Amino acid sequence: MRTHNQSLSSWSALLCALGVLFSLFSLGVAVKENDFKKCDQSGFCKRNRAYADKAITQGSSWQAPYKISSTEAAFKDGLFHATILKTIDDKGTTVELPLTVAFHKSGTARVTVDEKQRQEKNIELRHNSKARKERYNEAEKWAIVGGTTVDADAKVSYSGENGIKIQYGPNSAFEADIKFNPYSIEFKRDGSAQLKLNDRGLMNLEHWRPKVEKPPAEEKKEGEEDTENKEEEKKEEPVAEPVGEDESTWWDESFGGNTDSKPRGPESVALDITFFGYDHVYGIPEHAGPLSLKETRGGDGAYSEPYRLYNSDVFEYILDSPMTLYGAIPLMQAHRKDSTVAVFWLNAAETWIDITKAKESLNPLSLGKGPKTNTHTHWISEAGVMDLFVFLGPTPQDINKAYGELTGTTAMPQEFSVGYHQCRWNYVSDDDVKEVDRKMDRHQIPYDVIWLDIEYTEEKKYFTWDSDMFKDPISMGQQLDAHGRQLVVIIDPHIKNTGSYSVIDELKSNGLAVKNKEGNDFDGWCWPGSSMWVDCFNPSAVKWWKSLFKYSKFKGTMENTWLWNDMNEPSVFNGPEVTMPKDNLHHGSWEHRDVHNINGMTFHNATYEALLSRKKGELRRPFALTRSFYAGSQRVGAMWTGDNQASWEHLGASIPMILNQGVSGFPFAGADVGGFFGNPEAELQSRWYQAGAFYPFFRGHAHIDSRRREPYMLAEPYRGIVTSALRLRYSLMPSWYTAFHQAHQDGSPIIRPMYWTHPNSEGGFGIDDQFFVGSTGILVKPVVQQGKTSEDVYIPDDEIYYNYFTYQKLSTASGKTITIDAPIESIPILMQGGHIFPRRDTPRRSVKLMRFDDYTLVVVIGKDGTAEGQLYADDGDSFDYQKGEYIHRTFKLEGSQLTSTDAEGRDTKGIKEGDWLKSMRNVAVDKIILVGAPASWADKKEVQLEAGGKQSAVKLEYFKGDANRGPFAIVGRVGARIGADWSIDFA
């Protein structure tokens, strides 16, 4: 959320303690890379990279030490069970690793490898640790919600001494080829190999072993050393290397002045996965780099470090880096023309992923296409069971749908949350908030939410208000409510450890805090100073947490108050890598190392549950923003990309970061518009609002040391430019909300990269600076470079494209770019032919005030004369949509008819109408704009509307194209109910 060098004026009584605190963390204006580990500073990563190097260097002579005993392998009812034997010494000693491969009706396959000795708790913990002895196996409890019904129709197509082949999935088109010695699994689709587990033999599951204390080296007598040195000089043969493994990071590990006691010893899991013929891989957020992931083993344009997943408080993060950030979704998609596959690595511990690419060797006499590229990946996690899911596509849509079935889809949002959010650290008082609200109205700038950062509290004590500066929060909330607006306040997981504070008293007395390795309440430093952390893995802690948000308990909050969870990685200022010690203990005696990447999601989940009902009889959709996240976080709210900078580079980086969130199943994502740190010049701020208007989560935010930069503070023409971008967002609100509904239904991204929408257009696979909005056909390429007044837009198909603002038909060709003029007041936006999208064109100051406005339909006629699109609408607040109280329409232009029908074929007359549906009876289609209208309509003055069994004439006005505008027609006023069937005949 903020840098750690901000002076905190209310701490005058703690100046001495602050001096100590400030010495514990790095000061500066940018992230200190030395505060965070590189692979060679992370023992298990270094060990597994070395293991991989050894295997690859030995090539075909490498013998992977893992094999399946064929006598213990069995397949029944969609489940394959076996024991992998790991050979651990030259004597042939083995350890047993239970293997399960589950084949699901959804088409996914799940591969799980555990360790029998730990599973049976037959190990000894060091340091009298209270930690669990098993490998962590509860990640699915937090991440998985469905899609694991076993496919009883899966069948064996081959079984022998060397392996087994199992067919599964739709029409038995998928196959798992399980080899026994060495162990590997190759996954095929329609007989073609797609990916392989343990392809290069890099699998490494560090089994438990007791620590053997080695005797100290014998002390040499005087004169012995010189004698030995002289004798060694005489020897010509090389000295043998020491026997055994390097144990230096097995038993304890220090970094940044902190020592990890590692009571279970080495326990990492690693596996290599090869994607055959795939040149592009995407996903594994969160990183500040390109959408198409880079190689990580050095070389031209490659990183030298693996991608790291270890949720961390990284302020002013560096760009184009595999360095870890605030969240972790271990889902990777591999894509090539006509095919997408994916793997989901279900592990909550610190994880590193290496990526390399190599050309297949081909017979030099072979004809045809050149060699294909294989992408090799190496997944390395510190602890836990080896647990992964395989998706065989074949389309990006199939991947996201199956992943959504597995981990859940994005929640249907509060409709206001799709509007614009105004935030800074901090609005200093309730009067300040009221004044910002008034000025936004005075300048006719729409917005929906104003935010309060930590300074609203009394001395950083959450669930309190600063009695001097926020004397009357109810009055503040009431003014916002009268204008149709909302308030968001911040609540972080660290609770100030101080006297006369009921929240910390209850936390401690009920035993609900995270524990240190000795089992006592963990005390660390964060914004309040000495703090303790809520352990939301504990159901009792969640129950207690929910009680704190009741309107009757959190005084000053109202029905229009919502929540923001920050610092939930968790951020601990005096902890290793600015987070919690790995040997801390959570509910169930799991070590923090086991659950680190899930920790933030558990806190976000608890806040979501708290907001569902804050008084008797209330049940509403929550809004809760999180900084830290994991697979499944999409079910409960939104995220943002953290502490960015007011720079053109960070503006540019925001787009691939948000696109990556979308294809990784968490599409309700945004970046701080304007940059959190620093002071953007007017051009940068304007361009950022133009880009932000197309972020799914759209929030302006600024650091406490940054100058005030609310949109109305800009001088003209920039104020008008920003206002236009905001109004564009609001006019397209029906299309945005429809895109959110589609994401909720099938896991699709809200803004979509080229490879996702056009999986056959190879020129678009590496493009991450332009995108389509939902299924609208609206193609956007924000300007992200200073002084630039045109943009080259890649065209992925041979459909017609029009300029959004002028309706001009553009001269485009599939696989080519077109240059679009983009002066400072303009955003490069194209409309793809063949689509229909809804708008609301009456300017309003908030989403709430637009709820019952009429609609405009924009019909962008395709090259074949057709177009199609959808509208989804509901009350934007309750869960009544789950009872059928919503409007979902399909609009279709075919031949000479434009029709509106229920998108799901429902008989809408049978739906019991609540207040919202009743009010929507008075909401109609106001006008229809037909872009690319044929010249044959030039003399047409009216068209025939049929609605409710009645026919009527509706005016049609045709506009010929000229040098500045393409031809179009306007039909209206139409007056047909938005929720009813109707048709218009243009014959």
Side-chain angles (χ1 to χ4, degrees):
M1 180 179 70
R2 319 160 240 314
T3 52
H4 303 155
N5 61 340
Q6 178 59 39
S7 61
L8 306 172
S9 58
S10 61
W11 284 14
S12 57
L14 296 175
L15 289 176
C16 184
L18 273 175
V20 174
L21 173 61
F22 277 81
S23 71
L24 293 172
F25 47 78
S26 300
L27 304 179
V29 295
V31 62
K32 299 293 185 184
E33 284 192 80
N34 292 337
D35 290 346
F36 299 91
K37 289 182 180 179
K38 300 290 180 64
C39 180
D40 65 1
Q41 296 169 305
S42 181
F44 75 94
C45 183
K46 182 179 180 180
R47 294 194 300 271
N48 279 285
R49 256 194 165 188
Y51 185 89
D53 290 342
K54 178 181 178 182
I56 293 167
T57 299
Q58 291 188 18
S60 59
S61 65
W62 169 251
Q63 293 186 344
Y66 297 87
K67 66 179 180 180
I68 291 175
S69 171
S70 60
T71 59
E72 297 184 25
F75 175 76
K76 185 180 179 181
D77 297 332
L79 295 171
F80 174 75
H81 292 288
T83 298
I84 298 174
L85 301 177
K86 176 187 178 183
T87 303
I88 61 172
D89 58 29
D90 294 337
K91 299 175 184 177
T93 308
T94 61
V95 296
E96 296 182 17
L97 309 175
L99 165 70
T100 301
V101 185
F103 302 95
H104 302 141
K105 285 185 177 180
S106 62
T108 61
R110 182 180 189 178
V111 181
T112 308
V113 183
D114 206 334
E115 180 183 353
K116 186 177 180 181
Q117 191 168 2
R118 295 187 201 255
Q119 202 176 47
E120 295 177 346
K121 306 179 185 178
N122 187 24
I123 69 170
E124 296 175 7
L125 300 182
R126 300 168 63 241
H127 313 302
N128 297 314
S129 172
K130 295 175 171 55
R132 290 280 282 268
K133 294 182 176 182
E134 311 98 300
R135 288 181 173 272
Y136 183 65
N137 58 5
E138 295 184 0
E140 67 176 302
K141 175 181 174 182
W142 301 98
I144 307 301
V145 295
T148 57
T149 302
V150 174
D151 181 5
D153 294 328
K155 59 189 178 184
V156 175
S157 60
Y158 166 82
S159 180
E161 287 295 312
N162 298 321
I164 186 171
K165 296 181 181 180
I166 299 167
Q167 293 179 338
Y168 68 103
N171 302 314
S172 297
F174 302 161
E175 182 179 80
D177 184 355
I178 305 172
K179 292 288 194 299
F180 290 170
N181 189 13
Y183 159 73
S184 69
I185 308 180
E186 185 172 81
F187 288 91
K188 300 178 180 180
R189 187 183 65 233
D190 297 323
S192 176
Q194 304 296 321
L195 63 93
K196 187 174 181 180
L197 313 184
N198 206 28
D199 177 45
R200 296 180 293 162
L202 309 187
M203 176 174 167
N204 184 30
L205 189 146
E206 293 183 320
H207 61 282
W208 182 81
R209 76 289 311 270
K211 182 176 183 182
V212 178
E213 300 295 343
K214 296 182 179 178
E218 239 182 79
E219 200 172 307
K220 292 186 173 141
K221 295 178 182 178
E222 191 175 346
E224 274 187 351
E225 192 172 344
D226 290 341
T227 305
E228 287 179 7
N229 287 341
K230 287 175 184 177
E231 287 176 357
E232 284 176 7
E233 286 173 10
K234 295 175 184 177
K235 295 179 184 177
E236 293 182 4
E237 60 274 8
V239 179
E241 292 183 4
V243 177
E245 298 179 81
D246 176 9
E247 300 183 16
S248 60
T249 57
W250 281 12
W251 309 111
D252 54 56
E253 197 168 343
S254 295
F255 182 81
N258 291 273
T259 298
D260 176 7
S261 62
K262 302 176 77 168
R264 297 185 300 233
E267 55 180 324
S268 72
V269 294
L271 181 69
D272 65 288
I273 304 172
T274 296
F275 298 97
F276 298 116
Y278 291 90
D279 197 13
H280 291 273
V281 286
Y282 311 96
I284 58 169
E286 184 182 24
H287 302 96
L291 178 66
S292 181
L293 302 174
K294 290 187 175 184
E295 295 183 69
T296 61
R297 282 293 202 149
D300 188 27
Y303 299 138
S304 58
E305 285 288 310
Y307 284 92
R308 190 185 188 201
L309 296 176
Y310 188 63
N311 297 354
S312 300
D313 181 2
V314 184
F315 59 93
E316 286 196 347
Y317 47 83
I318 58 175
L319 304 180
D320 194 15
S321 168
M323 183 178 182
T324 190
L325 289 178
Y326 310 95
I329 300 178
L331 171 72
M332 180 182 286
Q333 295 189 34
H335 182 73
R336 66 174 183 237
K337 187 176 181 180
D338 291 327
S339 182
T340 313
V341 296
V343 292
F344 172 46
W345 180 263
L346 182 57
N347 192 294
E350 178 185 353
T351 298
W352 302 77
I353 303 134
D354 263 320
I355 300 171
T356 57
K357 299 178 183 181
K359 297 286 185 183
E360 285 182 341
S361 336
L362 287 183
N363 184 328
L365 300 179
S366 65
L367 301 176
K369 292 184 178 180
K372 293 180 179 179
T373 298
N374 294 336
T375 295
H376 301 291
T377 64
H378 187 201
W379 301 69
I380 308 166
S381 292
E382 183 177 16
V385 298
M386 185 181 292
D387 194 359
L388 69 146
F389 294 79
V390 174
F391 306 81
L392 294 181
T395 69
Q397 291 82 357
D398 292 327
I399 301 297
N400 281 107
K401 185 175 182 179
Y403 177 75
E405 187 175 349
L406 193 69
T407 67
T409 58
T410 194
M412 275 307 295
Q414 278 280 347
E415 192 172 15
F416 74 77
S417 67
V418 187
Y420 173 63
H421 302 247
Q422 181 62 48
C423 184
R424 74 171 281 111
W425 177 28
N426 204 84
Y427 290 114
V428 299
S429 66
D430 47 16
D431 286 336
D432 191 10
V433 169
K434 292 177 181 178
E435 184 63 13
V436 171
D437 180 63
R438 282 191 289 264
K439 286 183 176 177
M440 294 288 275
D441 279 349
R442 191 177 306 150
H443 291 90
Q444 298 182 327
I445 299 173
Y447 88 103
D448 265 85
V449 195
I450 193 163
W451 293 51
L452 293 177
D453 215 314
I454 52 175
E455 310 303 333
Y456 80 91
T457 63
E458 178 190 353
E459 298 178 345
K460 310 298 185 297
K461 292 184 288 189
Y462 298 116
F463 304 99
T464 69
W465 298 86
D466 184 316
S467 58
D468 292 326
M469 305 308 291
F470 289 86
K471 297 177 181 178
D472 191 358
I474 291 294
S475 172
M476 173 180 63
Q478 287 171 337
Q479 176 179 312
L480 294 172
D481 189 53
H483 296 169
R485 296 195 173 114
Q486 317 291 317
L487 177 72
V488 167
V489 298
I490 197 168
I491 300 280
D492 292 343
H494 49 260
I495 305 300
K496 185 169 185 173
N497 189 14
T498 187
S500 303
Y501 179 30
S502 62
V503 177
I504 192 66
D505 293 342
E506 292 173 14
L507 180 72
K508 291 193 286 189
S509 65
N510 291 311
L512 303 177
V514 177
K515 311 301 180 187
N516 61 23
K517 62 185 177 183
E518 286 83 25
N520 302 315
D521 289 344
F522 170 71
D523 188 293
W525 285 81
C526 206
W527 295 117
S530 175
S531 303
M532 292 181 177
W533 276 258
V534 185
D535 184 4
C536 290
F537 288 91
N538 185 344
S540 296
V542 174
K543 182 179 180 181
W544 167 74
W545 188 250
K546 288 162 62 175
S547 72
L548 301 179
F549 289 83
K550 301 294 184 184
Y551 301 122
S552 58
K553 190 155 189 178
F554 189 0
K555 303 290 187 181
T557 60
M558 298 170 48
E559 285 83 350
N560 65 337
T561 308
W562 308 93
L563 266 295
W564 170 18
N565 291 158
D566 197 358
M567 315 298 283
N568 52 332
E569 293 76 25
S571 177
V572 182
F573 291 168
N574 61 333
E577 298 193 89
V578 201
T579 192
M580 197 168 276
K582 288 181 174 179
D583 48 11
N584 272 7
L585 296 172
H586 289 270
H587 177 71
S589 298
W590 294 111
E591 281 195 295
H592 185 72
R593 87 179 71 253
D594 297 317
V595 302
H596 175 85
N597 284 343
I598 289 178
N599 182 84
M601 181 170 74
T602 67
F603 184 67
H604 192 205
N605 282 348
T607 301
Y608 173 89
E609 290 189 31
L611 295 179
L612 283 167
S613 183
R614 289 176 277 176
K615 67 179 180 182
K616 188 176 181 180
E618 180 183 70
L619 183 62
R620 301 172 66 201
R621 298 180 220 172
F623 174 74
L625 180 74
T626 185
R627 187 172 72 176
S628 181
F629 55 87
Y630 188 73
S633 290
Q634 68 272 10
R635 302 189 300 264
V636 294
M639 62 75 64
W640 92 107
T641 63
D643 297 346
N644 59 359
Q645 299 180 47
S647 73
W648 289 95
E649 293 78 13
H650 273 260
L651 166 57
S654 69
I655 296 170
M657 292 179 75
I658 294 169
L659 288 174
N660 205 14
Q661 288 291 135
V663 301
S664 301
F666 196 170
F668 198 178
D672 284 345
V673 171
F676 179 61
F677 291 100
N679 297 295
E681 68 271 23
E683 181 191 358
L684 173 58
Q685 189 172 354
S686 300
R687 288 300 196 190
W688 212 319
Y689 270 91
Q690 291 174 342
F694 291 93
Y695 294 166
F697 174 61
F698 184 17
R699 181 183 76 158
H701 189 31
H703 186 269
I704 196 169
D705 291 334
S706 298
R707 293 191 294 269
R708 294 291 285 258
R709 51 167 125 121
E710 289 73 22
Y712 53 75
M713 297 190 71
L714 285 162
E716 294 293 2
Y718 301 104
R719 183 196 305 152
I721 291 167
V722 167
T723 301
S724 294
L726 285 160
R727 288 181 178 172
L728 176 61
R729 170 66 166 225
Y730 277 77
S731 71
L732 287 170
M733 194 59 63
S735 289
W736 280 106
Y737 199 65
T738 300
F740 269 86
H741 174 256
Q742 187 172 350
H744 175 66
Q745 290 295 104
D746 61 16
S748 56
I750 293 167
I751 60 172
R752 303 172 177 179
M754 297 302 99
Y755 94 86
W756 201 93
T757 58
H758 292 79
N760 301 327
S761 183
E762 293 179 278
F765 295 172
I767 291 177
D768 56 13
D769 57 0
Q770 64 179 59
F771 50 84
F772 284 94
V773 177
S775 299
T776 62
I778 295 173
L779 176 59
V780 185
K781 183 168 184 181
V783 177
V784 297
Q785 291 175 281
Q786 187 173 17
K788 201 167 186 186
T789 57
S790 67
E791 278 292 349
D792 293 332
V793 180
Y794 177 79
I795 303 300
D797 55 37
D798 60 1
E799 188 46 273
I800 300 171
Y801 283 81
Y802 300 88
N803 183 295
Y804 180 88
F805 300 102
T806 68
Y807 306 153
Q808 279 185 311
K809 180 181 174 182
L810 303 172
S811 180
T812 60
S814 179
K816 306 294 183 181
T817 59
I818 181 172
T819 301
I820 303 296
D821 288 339
I824 183 64
E825 67 276 5
S826 178
I827 312 169
I829 306 176
L830 280 57
M831 296 182 292
Q832 181 190 42
H835 292 272
I836 301 173
F837 60 88
R839 294 193 319 217
R840 274 177 161 156
D841 289 344
T842 303
R844 302 288 187 191
R845 61 189 180 191
S846 71
V847 167
K848 186 176 181 180
L849 301 182
M850 299 169 64
R851 294 178 74 214
F852 301 115
D853 283 349
D854 288 341
Y855 289 87
T856 294
L857 298 181
V858 180
V859 179
V860 188
I861 301 174
K863 63 189 301 184
D864 63 356
T866 68
E868 187 172 345
Q870 291 194 348
L871 165 72
Y872 175 85
D874 60 32
D875 67 14
D877 178 82
S878 76
F879 290 93
D880 288 349
Y881 67 90
Q882 296 176 349
K883 305 172 186 175
E885 289 198 47
Y886 58 84
I887 291 170
H888 192 191
R889 309 301 297 176
T890 290
F891 308 110
K892 189 177 291 187
L893 175 67
E894 275 185 316
S896 62
Q897 271 207 335
L898 175 65
T899 59
S900 171
T901 58
D902 188 85
E904 300 162 31
R906 300 178 301 163
D907 179 6
T908 54
K909 294 177 183 177
I911 298 171
K912 185 178 179 181
E913 292 185 341
D915 292 342
W916 178 82
L917 264 181
K918 288 176 182 176
S919 297
M920 288 298 288
R921 283 183 161 273
N922 299 317
V923 177
V925 177
D926 178 37
K927 63 178 180 286
I928 300 170
I929 301 171
L930 297 108
V931 179
S936 59
W937 292 1
D939 297 326
K940 192 178 289 290
K941 302 300 180 186
E942 60 182 34
V943 292
Q944 291 298 308
L945 167 69
E946 182 175 336
K950 298 180 181 179
Q951 289 196 348
S952 59
V954 180
K955 178 182 177 183
L956 182 146
E957 191 172 5
Y958 183 84
F959 298 85
K960 295 180 180 179
D962 56 32
N964 298 313
R965 183 177 287 275
F968 67 100
I970 296 179
V971 176
R973 169 173 170 82
V974 177
R977 280 176 47 210
I978 192 63
D981 291 354
W982 51 262
S983 65
I984 293 177
D985 194 340
F986 292 91

